[in-house]
Amino acid sequence: QVQLVESGGDLVQPGGSLKLSCTASGVSLDSFAIAWFRQAPGKEREGVACIMPYGQADSVDGRFTVSRDNAKNTVTLQMNNLRPEDTARYRCAAYPRPPDTSYVCFDSIRGGMHQYMLRYWGEGTQVTVSS
């Protein structure tokens, strides 16, 4: 069982930056593709970014960058120029095994059916963008 834990959420002013982290205990994340999603109250879940085990990454918004540090067993989501509409609970998720292609990873964050292949989810960390 893979237990993912997110951290780094905070209250930040518009235009500010945050760095979220996704870690796991008892398992190495370096063989997992990790996706970030967010959900605001009353809204549907939406994909943010995804990164393959070997580092190929994609995000739906150029303000967001996903990266991984296997030595620290961490996947990081760097968010810049934050806006009030970025307010949401951010969660990381992992597939049970590495996707055959990056298409699976990138399709997932764009509303594709591959998002339902994600098996392991963290509880999330709250990001609030407000002045």
Side-chain angles (χ1 to χ4, degrees):
Q1 183 73 8
V2 178
Q3 292 184 319
L4 303 175
V5 178
E6 303 90 340
S7 62
D10 205 346
L11 170 64
V12 62
Q13 292 188 344
S17 298
L18 275 178
K19 184 166 68 175
L20 307 183
S21 296
C22 175
T23 62
S25 58
V27 63
S28 174
L29 288 181
D30 60 3
S31 62
F32 288 88
I34 302 293
W36 283 94
F37 285 80
R38 68 184 185 185
Q39 188 166 17
K43 295 187 177 180
E44 292 188 355
R45 184 181 71 192
E46 56 182 3
V48 177
C50 194
I51 186 166
M52 293 290 284
Y54 43 81
Q56 188 177 5
D58 191 22
S59 68
V60 299
D61 192 314
R63 298 177 294 129
F64 299 162
T65 303
V66 61
S67 61
R68 63 193 312 149
D69 186 338
N70 291 335
K72 296 182 178 180
N73 205 32
T74 298
V75 171
T76 298
L77 180 67
Q78 177 68 45
M79 305 188 296
N80 298 325
N81 192 23
L82 286 163
R83 305 165 182 164
E85 53 265 38
D86 295 319
T87 295
R89 191 163 189 83
Y90 286 70
R91 303 174 70 187
C92 61
Y95 298 89
R97 57 184 178 276
D100 292 334
T101 72
S102 59
Y103 173 78
V104 173
C105 194
F106 304 156
D107 175 72
S108 296
I109 61 174
R110 289 173 172 77
M113 294 298 292
H114 290 101
Q115 65 179 298
Y116 301 109
M117 295 171 58
L118 290 158
R119 178 177 296 177
Y120 308 112
W121 290 83
E123 294 295 319
T125 186
Q126 179 66 34
V127 172
T128 302
V129 185
S130 175
S131 55

